[in-house]
Amino acid sequence: QEQLVESGGGSVQAGGSLRLSCTVAGNAVDTSCMGWFRQAPGKKRAGVASIYHGRFAAHADSVKGRFTITKDNANNTLYLQMNSLKPEDTAMYYCAADPSGGRCYGIATSFNTWGRGTQVTVSS
């Protein structure tokens, strides 16, 4: 059974917006620290944003001021609001939870549980 399910990806033009969602199934996953990552074809997976206890957020420099990570603790859902999208934001976006050792290090956190991803494509 999938524990993290992403949705909200799609195709938009540059300057547009998308909101990604990540739904957590059940209570077996440590969601104290969660994150969004992305991987473009031919590139390594990179951290985009993370959030600790639903309050303390960190964002990669490349998305600061454009993307915002939030978490609805009541519904156990993670979000990534993406504004002013650029073609270089095109990638598969993954949600992650269950930090290794229970430690949260922002976008450098090592996570044990991953979703299958949702594709974001930005055209110029």
Side-chain angles (χ1 to χ4, degrees), residues 36-61:
W36 286 101
F37 291 74
R38 66 186 181 185
Q39 187 168 18
K43 295 188 176 181
K44 292 183 178 180
R45 186 175 62 196
V48 175
S50 69
I51 191 164
Y52 181 58
H53 282 306
R55 294 176 57 196
F56 305 102
H59 298 80
D61 288 343

Side-chain angles (χ1 to χ4, degrees), residues 10-80:
S11 297
V12 296
Q13 290 190 326
S17 298
L18 286 172
R19 188 175 82 152
L20 305 184
S21 299
C22 174
T23 302
V24 182
N27 297 309
V29 177
D30 178 358
T31 58
S32 63
C33 182
M34 297 186 70
W36 286 101
F37 291 74
R38 66 186 181 185
Q39 187 168 18
K43 295 188 176 181
K44 292 183 178 180
R45 186 175 62 196
V48 175
S50 69
I51 191 164
Y52 181 58
H53 282 306
R55 294 176 57 196
F56 305 102
H59 298 80
D61 288 343
S62 59
V63 306
K64 279 181 182 176
R66 301 188 298 121
F67 292 10
T68 304
I69 187 172
T70 57
K71 185 171 179 279
D72 182 338
N73 289 322
N75 294 318
N76 226 8
T77 301
L78 183 72
Y79 299 99
L80 184 68

